[in-house]
Amino acid sequence: MPTPHPSAPADAVRRGALAISLSAALLTTGLGATPAIAAPSTTSIATIQGTGQSTPLAGQTVTTEPAVVTAVYPSGPGSLGGFVIQTPGSGGTITGTTASTGLFVHTGQAPVTVQRGDAVQVTGTAGEYQGLTQLSGTVSVKKVVKKVAPVKPVTTDWASTASYRENLESMVYQPRENFRVADTYGVGRYGELGLSAGKELPAQPTQVARPNSPEARAQAQRNDAISVTLDDGTNRGFAASPTQEPRQVPYLTPENPVAVGDTARITAPVIVDYRFDKWRLQPTTPVVPGKEPARFSGSADPKPGVGGQVRIASFNVLNYFTTVGQDKGCRGGNYSTDGTYNVAQGCDARGAYDRADFERQQAKTVSVINKVDASVVGLMEVENSAKLGEPKDEALASLVKALNKAAGYTKWAYVPVADSELQPVAEQDFITNAIVYQPREVTQVGQARALGSEAVAGGAFENARTPIAATFTATKGGGKHGAAPTTVVVNHFKSKGSAPRTGPNRDTGDGQGAWNTSRVAQASAVVDWIPELTAAAGSQDVAVLGDFNSYAQEDPLQEFYRAGYARAAEDDYTYVFGGQVGSLDHMLISPSLAKRMTGAAAWNINSGQSPLLQYAQYRTTALDYYVPNEVASSDHDPFIAGFRAGTK
C-alpha cells in the first residue's frame, strides 16, 4: 500500500483553514462599508508588501493608491473569496530588488463587485494569512474614474526568481519558458498540477545523494527553485459523494490524461500566489474546464526494449485481492457517481470493494503483466489468501488463470512456496510477495525458498513481507556451456509511513522517512541469506528485486552496494512522491549477472498518472477516466531487465 501522499494537505485541513478564514470574514467584512478607522493618506502596494517575508504594516488600516484589478475570485463555497490588485504600469522585467506591486484583497463571503481591469482604491487591514500578504477585515472599495496604465505581466523564468519570489507575490505573471508536469496527484482533489521549470524533473534528494549530504541539500534547494503549483483559482474539491454532485476536473480529460514528464506552457496571464505552504500560479478567475491558462503535450511511454533471451521484471500490483471488501462487510471508499464504492477500507481485504471494481482492477493488472511479457515477474501486494482463511495461493492462481485467458494459451505459471519455508500464518501479512513465470521461456530449478525464519516475532521481517526466491534457467539459447541458473529474490520492505514518535525507527528528518532502521535490518538479512541460495543453485547470478521503500542512496540500499550488487539502471524512476521522482522499486544484480545483462529500464505508465485513471477512482468525478489497459494499473511502475541465457 502506498504511503499517504504529503504534497497535498488533507481535505479536512484545507476545508478547515478555509472555514476559519471565511468565518472571520463573515464577522468583519462589509464590502462597501465605511472603514472603522479612516485612513489619513494613501499607501503604495509596494509599501504594504515590503521586501521581507511579511508586511511591515501588519494590523494597520491602510488605503491603497489607485490600482488595477487583475484577478477576481467571486464569493461562494470553496472560493478564494476576494480579488487581486496591482500598481498601474508595473510588472515586466523584475530582478527582486523592489517590493511586489501586487496584493490580494480578502472579502470572504461578501459579494465581489469589481471586475478585472477596474481601477480602484481599497481600504482594509494589512496582514498575513498563511504566508500571503493581504488586505482584510472591514474592506471598502472606491472606483477610480481616472484612466490608469495597464499592468505588464512578469516574464522572468521561474527558477531564476527563487531568491525573490516574495517580491513577486500577487503580481501578474506569464513566463515564456516551457515547464514540465511534475505531479498529477492533486489534480483530482484540488484542481492543481505540480510543474517544474526546465528540462529536468525534481528528484528525491536521497535518490541522487546520501541523506544529509551537501549534494542532497543542493538537490532539495534545486527542487524548491524549479517547482511551482498550477492551481484552479478555487478551494473546492471535485469528488462525488452521496450528498454532493461531482465536478469536472480542470487540466485533465480522458482524451488528454496529463502525465508527469509532459510539457506545459502557460498560455494566459496568471497570478503568483502563496497558499498552503506552496508557491502557486493562480488563474485570474476560477478555471472553466476547456479554458485553462495552460497547454500540455506529451506522448505515451513506450515499453522499453531491453533485449535478452531471459527477461526479469518487478511490479507492485497495488493490492490485488480476489476477496472483495463487500464480501467481508468492509466500509467502502471512493464514492462513485453510480452510487457504489470502489475500494475496501478499514478491514483485512485491502483491494476492490465489489466484484465490478475487482474486474476493473484485474483488467489493468492482466494487461500490464502480459504486455511486460517478462520471462519471470516478481510481484508485490498480492492477496495472502491463507491469511484470510481461504485456500493457499487462491488469489495468485486466479491471477494466473486470468493472464492465460487473456493471452489465449497457457502462457503463465506461478511459483508455490512450501509452508515449511514460511512463518506461521498467524504471523504473516495480508499481502504477500509472489513469482509468476513463462514455462516456455524458463524452467524452475529446485523448490522455492522463503526467509520465514526472519519473519517471526523479533526477526528482521517481523513488520514486513517475507522475501521469497526461486531459481530459473532459460529453456533455449544457453549455447554450448548451457543456460546459467539465475536466482530471483522478491522483496517488499517496511514502508516509510506511520512513524513512531520515539525509538530508532522514528523519522529523523534526514529524508529517509520512518522505519529506516527496520529496512536496513531487512536488507542485511537478505544479503546474509543469498549465499545459501546461490550455493543451492550452483550459480552466483542473482537478481534481488521488489519494492524496497528506499530511494537509491538511502541506507538500506547501501547494504546491497557493499555486498557487490548494483542497480540494473541508475537514472530511471518508478514512483512520484511529493512532486519529486525517485525509485522505491529496484533490481539489484550480482556482478556475474551484470555481465549477462542486455538492457534495463522502468516503464513509466503508472507513477506519473493521476489517480483518477486507476480503477480505485472509477467515476469519482464528473468524467470517466477509466480504460481497461495497462496505464494507471498501479501507483508504482514496472521495472524490466533483459539477460543473455548463457554465461558465454
Side-chain angles (χ1 to χ4, degrees), residues 148-166:
V148 297
V151 302
K152 307 170 187 176
V154 175
T155 58
T156 312
D157 286 353
W158 181 252
S160 66
T161 70
S163 64
Y164 59 89
R165 280 176 195 160
E166 189 72 28

Side-chain angles (χ1 to χ4, degrees), residues 296-612:
F296 307 93
S297 59
S299 58
D301 190 37
K303 189 183 83 170
V306 298
Q309 295 145 321
V310 175
R311 296 169 311 284
I312 301 174
S314 172
F315 183 45
N316 183 318
V317 295
L318 188 58
N319 289 322
Y320 176 87
F321 272 63
T322 54
T323 302
V324 298
Q326 191 175 58
D327 293 345
K328 288 288 187 179
C330 306
R331 289 186 294 107
N334 294 351
Y335 183 81
S336 175
T337 55
D338 63 7
T340 64
Y341 294 91
N342 290 312
V343 293
Q345 290 187 341
C347 68
D348 299 335
R350 302 179 183 179
Y353 179 68
D354 60 24
R355 300 312 300 178
D357 300 323
F358 171 73
E359 293 299 329
R360 283 188 285 270
Q361 179 188 22
Q362 180 164 266
K364 284 188 167 292
T365 304
V366 165
S367 177
V368 67
I369 295 174
N370 269 331
K371 288 187 177 180
V372 163
D373 196 31
S375 311
V376 181
V377 185
L379 303 175
M380 286 64 65
E381 295 196 13
V382 175
E383 172 192 292
N384 183 359
S385 302
K387 183 73 171 179
L388 291 171
E390 301 169 354
K392 184 181 177 183
D393 293 331
E394 180 275 329
L396 183 56
S398 177
L399 175 58
V400 168
K401 182 179 179 181
L403 287 167
N404 290 334
K405 181 179 179 180
Y409 67 98
T410 306
K411 180 177 182 178
W412 297 93
Y414 71 88
V415 174
V417 180
D419 290 339
S420 59
E421 290 286 323
L422 297 165
Q423 73 274 32
V425 172
E427 298 183 65
Q428 295 175 20
D429 200 338
F430 285 94
I431 55 175
T432 188
N433 299 318
I435 300 174
V436 297
Y437 67 101
Q438 298 189 47
R440 292 188 180 186
E441 297 190 5
V442 293
T443 300
Q444 184 181 343
V445 179
Q447 299 299 309
R449 299 293 309 278
L451 194 53
S453 60
E454 285 288 346
V456 296
F461 283 89
E462 176 185 11
N463 59 3
R465 277 58 58 181
T466 310
I468 63 173
T471 300
F472 300 89
T473 57
T475 56
K476 298 178 182 179
K480 66 179 181 179
H481 296 284
T486 302
T487 300
V488 178
V489 186
V490 183
N491 303 272
H492 190 181
F493 286 8
K494 177 63 177 172
S495 70
K496 290 176 175 286
S498 303
R501 294 183 179 180
T502 59
N505 279 304
R506 72 188 187 283
D507 187 342
T508 63
D510 65 354
Q512 301 189 89
W515 304 102
N516 189 56
T517 298
S518 284
R519 288 191 295 275
V520 170
Q522 288 156 14
S524 179
V526 172
V527 168
D528 291 344
W529 185 42
I530 289 174
E532 181 182 336
L533 302 176
T534 56
S539 169
Q540 297 296 313
D541 293 3
V542 181
V544 186
L545 57 83
D547 180 357
F548 294 85
N549 275 308
S550 307
Y551 293 111
Q553 297 305 320
E554 293 181 3
D555 296 340
L557 273 295
Q558 301 300 315
E559 297 292 309
F560 292 102
Y561 303 153
R562 282 191 287 269
Y565 293 85
R567 296 176 64 226
E570 290 294 330
D571 298 327
D572 285 33
Y573 68 87
T574 64
Y575 200 63
V576 178
F577 196 76
Q580 300 171 8
V581 301
S583 285
L584 297 177
D585 312 84
H586 306 277
M587 185 178 296
L588 300 148
I589 56 178
S590 63
S592 58
L593 184 58
K595 295 176 181 178
R596 293 168 46 207
M597 190 173 75
T598 55
W603 188 13
N604 298 133
I605 53 173
N606 295 328
S607 64
Q609 301 291 338
S610 165
L612 289 180

Side-chain angles (χ1 to χ4, degrees), residues 40-51:
S41 61
T42 60
T43 306
S44 71
I45 291 175
T47 300
I48 297 169
Q49 279 279 7
T51 56

